[in-house]
């Protein structure tokens, strides 16, 4: 193991900005952006820190934008009301590098689930107002991001259609047998 | 309530009373800086879209903001160099028409004599010319002090205006950093809500203020065109049409009072130049301003300013009084935009905050 004294000399530690740039670059809606363009996006994002037990957003809140997890763990929970009882369902556990809520960049539809921090979590938030602002100020960059969101939505729609077709086929087979 | 809750309530109550008292005590001392900041915010909201447009041409934001501020300075310098001689001339002409005491006294005296000869009893006192002489004397004594005060006021206004431009430049240049700084203070619980409401307020205000500004410009331009037509077609001899147009545009920012105040200089100009068909020209000039207002109220303002920030006439009346009391004419001009800002802010909070309740 390298001693702490030599480690800092051999390998340059990542700066906070580099860490954030890397996190942004890994998000599919910012894919194919140049370093300069990523820096513009970096100026638009908000850094937030949440304690264990804090909600990043709650189910039913108006969607306002997306979050990229820099550090920590986020649990996605869906609350369903069945009769008089509320039931919580864990949908996913997200870690550093994951992102959530990107569809809210397009409309203000209520969040379909809550995001709950299970440990100290650092996130970057990118919001619809800033995307609209970007489309106005730097249309080229804004269009690239919107096109990426459209690609993701198209992909998801294709998967949903495929799943639906499979389900219909399965139901038909069951009905026949 | 338990004893500890009672104590907490009393402590909070005392804290708020002390805070409110402190605020009320400090407020008059902070009036100038608050005014400068409010005007800077208004200018920032108005100019921000222009800086955004320049950024589209890949001009850095700081340079875009600087260019916009320089354009404003240039326009003001041009305006001052054009308007000051016009005001000087107008003042001279007015003083030549009305300022000569004897002519004025003669005119008034002949009017009184005429009225007294027509009336059965001597109804009008004849000491009016003496009163005017007394008034003129007292004005002569007070004039140096008044001029000193006016000069000081002008210097204050200019330095205040440069402060406004300076602050506006930094608001334009560092808009994002300022917004981030404010949002950083908001607790996580209210973060998304605050950001959403701030965005909506900024968008609405920007279009509202731009609409107000464009509507005022349209009133100015249509007044100039109308008066120019009256001048050309009827040889009305209305002077300082450009100046009157600028005034009409500015006055239009004051609802109800503004349109009348905008027309007065034009009517005065006709009365001073006394063309052969004075009454007809005065009616035409009034007609021009009525048409300008009709166009503004029915076509321009509803399209540009929109209905979302429409204020109730009673509210407009109250804010005009408050604005006038605080800052005179300038206060009356800014009263409605500021009231619009407050309405949009509270409207957005009231509409959006409940959506974020768990």
């Amino acid at each position: 193991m390298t001693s702490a004294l030599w480690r800092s000399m051999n390998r340059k530690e990542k700066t906070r900005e580099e860490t954030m740039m890397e996190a942004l670059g890994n998000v599919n809606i910012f894919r194919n952006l140049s370093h300069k363009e990523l820096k513009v996006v970096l100026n638009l994002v908000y850094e937030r820190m949440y304690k264990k037990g804090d909600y990043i957003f709650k189910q039913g809140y108006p969607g306002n934008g997306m979050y990229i997890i820099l550090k920590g763990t986020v649990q996605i929970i869906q609350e369903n009301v069945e009769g008089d009882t509320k039931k919580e369902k864990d949908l996913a556990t997200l870690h550093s590098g994951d992102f959530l809520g990107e569809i809210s960049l397009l409309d203000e539809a209520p969040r379909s689930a809550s995001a709950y921090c299970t440990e100290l979590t650092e996130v970057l938030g990118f919001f619809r107002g800033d995307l609209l602002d970007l489309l106005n100020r730097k249309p080229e960059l804004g269009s690239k991001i919107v096109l990426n969101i459209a690609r993701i939505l198209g992909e998801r729609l294709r998967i949903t259609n495929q799943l639906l077709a499979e389900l219909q086929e399965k139901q038909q087979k069951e009905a026949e047998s | 309530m338990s004893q500890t809750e009672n104590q907490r309530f009393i402590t909070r109550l005392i804290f708020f009373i002390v805070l409110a008292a402190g605020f009320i005590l400090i407020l008059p001392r902070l009036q100038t800086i608050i005014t400068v900041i409010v005007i800077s915010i208004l200018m920032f909201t108005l100019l921000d879209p222009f800086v955004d447009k320049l950024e589209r041409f890949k001009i850095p934001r700081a340079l875009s903001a600087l260019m916009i501020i320089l354009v404003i300075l240039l326009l003001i310098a041009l305006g001052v160099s054009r308007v000051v001689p016009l005001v000087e001339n107008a003042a001279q002409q007015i003083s030549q028409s009305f300022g000569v005491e004897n002519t004025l006294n003669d005119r008034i005296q002949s009017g009184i004599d005429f009225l007294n000869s027509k009336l059965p009893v001597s109804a009008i006192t004849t000491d009016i010319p003496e009163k005017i002489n007394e008034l003129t004397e007292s004005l002569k004594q007070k004039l140096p002090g008044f001029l000193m005060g006016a000069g000081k006021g002008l210097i204050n206004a200019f330095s205040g205006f440069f402060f406004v431009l300076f602050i506006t430049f930094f608001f334009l240049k560092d808009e994002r950093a300022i917004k981030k700084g404010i949002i950083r203070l908001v607790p996580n619980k209210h973060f998304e809500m605050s950001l959403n409401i701030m965005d909506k307020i900024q968008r609405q205000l920007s279009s509202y203020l731009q609409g107000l500004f464009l509507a005022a410009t349209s009133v100015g331009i249509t007044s100039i065109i109308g008066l120019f037509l009256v001048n050309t077609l009827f040889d009305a001899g209305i002077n300082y049409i450009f100046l009157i147009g600028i005034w009409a545009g500015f006055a239009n920012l004051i609802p109800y009072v503004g349109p009348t105040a905008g027309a007065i200089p034009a009517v005065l100009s006709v009365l001073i130049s006394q063309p052969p068909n004075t009454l007809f020209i005065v009616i035409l000039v009034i007609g021009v301003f009525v048409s300008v207002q009709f166009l503004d109220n029915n076509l321009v303002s509803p399209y540009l300013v929109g209905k979302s920030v429409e204020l109730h006439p009673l509210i407009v009346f109250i804010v005009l009084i408050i604005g006038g009391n605080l800052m005179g004419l300038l206060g009356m001009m800014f009263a409605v935009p500021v009231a619009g800002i407050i309405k949009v802010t509270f409207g957005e909070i009231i509409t959006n905050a409940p959506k974020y309740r768990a």
Side-chain angles (χ1 to χ4, degrees), chain A residues 83-99:
Chain A
D84 290 339
T85 51
K86 273 186 186 176
K87 278 189 177 173
E88 279 187 357
K89 195 173 140 191
D90 286 349
L91 295 182
T93 306
L94 305 175
H95 303 279
S96 156
D98 290 338
F99 51 92

Side-chain angles (χ1 to χ4, degrees), chain B residues 265-294:
Chain B
V267 175
L268 273 178
S269 172
V270 177
L271 290 176
I272 291 167
S273 61
Q274 286 187 334
N277 42 358
T278 309
L279 189 65
F280 175 64
I281 301 290
V282 166
I283 292 169
L284 273 182
V285 166
I286 292 171
V288 164
F289 279 92
V290 170
S291 312
V292 165
Q293 282 308 312
F294 180 81

Side-chain angles (χ1 to χ4, degrees), chain B residues 13-33:
Chain B
L13 194 70
I14 292 169
F15 173 74
F16 280 115
I17 290 170
V18 171
L19 199 73
F23 187 69
I24 290 165
L25 278 173
I26 289 171
L27 194 65
R29 289 171 196 276
L30 296 178
Q31 197 189 328
T32 316
I33 188 72

Side-chain angles (χ1 to χ4, degrees), chain A residues 26-110:
Chain A
N26 287 333
V27 177
N28 51 12
I29 73 158
F30 301 126
R31 211 157 278 167
N32 68 28
L33 298 196
S34 67
H35 185 79
K36 205 176 162 188
E37 287 172 328
L38 272 179
K39 260 199 157 170
V40 174
V41 176
L42 187 67
N43 277 329
L44 295 176
V45 297
Y46 295 86
E47 290 174 65
R48 303 295 293 189
M49 192 178 279
Y50 294 84
K51 287 188 294 226
K52 182 185 172 183
D54 277 355
Y55 280 91
I56 297 178
F57 54 77
K58 284 186 177 175
Q59 188 178 335
Y61 278 14
N64 198 19
M66 68 174 294
Y67 293 90
I68 302 139
I69 304 166
L70 286 179
K71 206 176 101 182
T73 312
V74 176
Q75 194 79 35
I76 306 296
I77 306 160
Q78 198 170 45
E79 222 175 55
N80 290 315
V81 182
E82 282 172 22
D84 290 339
T85 51
K86 273 186 186 176
K87 278 189 177 173
E88 279 187 357
K89 195 173 140 191
D90 286 349
L91 295 182
T93 306
L94 305 175
H95 303 279
S96 156
D98 290 338
F99 51 92
L100 54 148
E102 66 274 25
I103 305 305
S104 296
L105 284 170
L106 295 181
D107 72 349
E108 210 176 310

Side-chain angles (χ1 to χ4, degrees), chain B residues 79-98:
Chain B
V80 167
S81 67
R82 292 281 309 231
V83 168
V84 165
L86 285 179
V87 174
E88 225 170 47
N89 278 343
Q92 259 174 14
Q93 204 178 356
I94 291 166
S95 70
Q96 273 164 12
S97 304
F98 293 112

Side-chain angles (χ1 to χ4, degrees), chain B residues 7 15 18 45 52 132 139 145 158 190 195 215 230-231 294 329:
Chain B
Q7 279 175 345
F15 173 74
V18 171
T45 318
D52 286 352
I132 288 175
L139 272 178
F158 261 100
H190 305 297
L195 201 63
V230 171
N231 245 2
F294 180 81
L329 191 65

Side-chain angles (χ1 to χ4, degrees), chain A residues 42-46 48-50 58 61-62 64 67 108 111 127 129-130 132-133 136-137 140, chain B residues 52 55-56 58 61 176 179-180 183 186-188 191-192 195-196 199-200 203 355-356 358:
Chain A
L42 187 67
N43 277 329
L44 295 176
V45 297
Y46 295 86
R48 303 295 293 189
M49 192 178 279
Y50 294 84
K58 284 186 177 175
Y61 278 14
N64 198 19
Y67 293 90
E108 210 176 310
R111 303 272 192 193
F127 298 96
D130 297 313
L132 294 175
D133 197 37
N136 192 29
R137 291 191 296 119
E140 232 171 272
Chain B
D52 286 352
E55 258 198 295
R56 268 175 169 245
K58 299 188 175 169
R61 194 163 177 89
R176 294 230 36 98
K179 193 176 166 190
K180 275 189 171 182
I183 285 293
V186 178
N188 283 337
F191 164 61
E192 268 208 10
L195 201 63
N196 194 7
D199 267 340
K200 285 183 175 168
R203 266 169 226 289
K355 294 181 192 166
Y356 288 88

